[in-house]
């Protein structure tokens, strides 16, 4: 049985608080089946991982580039905008670099990361840090003897500004590489 107590607004001049309202007794609220859901989720981990990946992919698509030209692969203009040519600036360029020590170049392979060091008399400085080796050309036949004296060629993938520094340093200094 629930007791209902009517509340009468107090007189403004009366300083006493309103009488307390009794709260009926009720049993505690229990949620059933929670442990079963957790066990089922643990049994079906693949479904949970797949659902998480699907949500992540949807979020990445929603937050991705909005412009059709930026969304197209390799930055090519799409059929929607044939007259508009995108202004493309290459982030990385390939730079052929002659390294003074031909034997060191033989240690390099495609995909290696190297630092290029320019040596000028007593001082040396790093011209390119973390450059990726894109190609190590084989010396031409008959040029093997002169390669030891002239060094060896290696092709690096570097930012445009670094390629300019490499070309300038290679013209006036001896270049060496260190593996990263």
């Amino acid at each position: 049985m629930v007791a209902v107590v009517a509340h009468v607004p107090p007189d403004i001049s009366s300083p006493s608080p309103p009488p307390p309202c009794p709260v009926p007794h009720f049993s505690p609220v229990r949620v059933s089946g929670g442990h079963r859901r957790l066990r089922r989720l643990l049994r079906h981990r693949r479904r949970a991982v797949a659902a998480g990946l699907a949500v992540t992919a949807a979020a990445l698509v929603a937050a991705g580039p909005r412009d059709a030209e930026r969304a197209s692969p390799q930055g090519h203009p799409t059929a929607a905008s044939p007259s508009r040519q995108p202004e493309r600036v290459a982030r990385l360029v390939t730079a052929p670099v002659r390294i003074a020590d031909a034997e060191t170049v033989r240690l390099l392979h495609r995909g290696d990361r190297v630092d290029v060091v320019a040596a000028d008399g007593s001082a040396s400085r790093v011209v390119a840090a973390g450059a990726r080796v894109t190609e190590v050309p084989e010396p031409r036949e008959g040029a093997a003897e002169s390669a030891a004296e002239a060094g060896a060629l290696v092709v690096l993938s570097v930012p445009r500004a670094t390629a300019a520094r490499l070309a300038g340093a290679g013209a006036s200094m001896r270049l060496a590489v260190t593996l990263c």
Side-chain angles (χ1 to χ4, degrees), residues 2 16 18 20 41 43 46-47 56 58 61 68 81-82 85 93 96 122-123 139 151 158 169 174 176 179:
V2 177
S16 65
L41 179 66
R43 274 195 318 256
R46 288 183 184 163
R47 287 183 191 169
T56 303
V61 167
S81 61
Q85 292 294 327
V93 296
S122 62
V158 293
R174 293 176 51 97
L179 285 165

Side-chain angles (χ1 to χ4, degrees), residues 2 6 17 30 46 50 56 58 67 73-74 78 87 89-90 96 117 122 126 131 141 146 155 160 163 165 167 180:
V2 177
R30 296 202 173 132
R46 288 183 184 163
T56 303
D67 190 20
Q74 293 100 20
T78 60
E87 187 176 318
V89 176
V117 180
S122 62
V126 176
E141 288 190 34
S146 65
V155 180
R160 189 176 295 274
R165 285 197 311 266
C180 295

Side-chain angles (χ1 to χ4, degrees), residues 8-87:
V8 178
D11 188 10
I12 296 178
S13 62
S14 114
S16 65
C21 298
V23 177
H25 179 72
F26 59 90
S27 60
V29 176
R30 296 202 173 132
V31 177
S32 64
H35 64 283
R36 279 185 244 134
R37 277 190 233 138
L38 181 60
R39 283 187 187 157
R40 185 175 43 189
L41 179 66
L42 290 176
R43 274 195 318 256
H44 303 290
R45 277 183 234 156
R46 288 183 184 163
R47 287 183 191 169
V49 169
L53 287 174
V55 169
T56 303
L60 288 173
V61 167
R66 304 264 188 250
D67 190 20
E69 289 177 0
R70 285 188 287 163
S72 67
Q74 293 100 20
H76 292 292
T78 60
S81 61
S83 63
R84 185 176 165 202
Q85 292 294 327
E87 187 176 318

Side-chain angles (χ1 to χ4, degrees), residues 47-135:
R47 287 183 191 169
V49 169
L53 287 174
V55 169
T56 303
L60 288 173
V61 167
R66 304 264 188 250
D67 190 20
E69 289 177 0
R70 285 188 287 163
S72 67
Q74 293 100 20
H76 292 292
T78 60
S81 61
S83 63
R84 185 176 165 202
Q85 292 294 327
E87 187 176 318
R88 293 184 347 181
V89 176
R91 291 183 184 171
L92 296 178
V93 296
T94 55
V97 178
R98 184 155 304 275
I99 304 300
D101 186 9
E103 297 297 316
T104 304
V105 173
R106 278 203 241 165
L107 298 173
L108 300 178
H109 301 286
R110 174 182 236 149
D112 287 344
R113 291 275 185 180
V114 294
D115 290 345
V116 180
V117 180
D120 182 24
S122 62
S124 63
R125 63 184 172 97
V126 176
V127 180
R132 183 170 301 278
V133 176
T134 57
E135 190 176 345

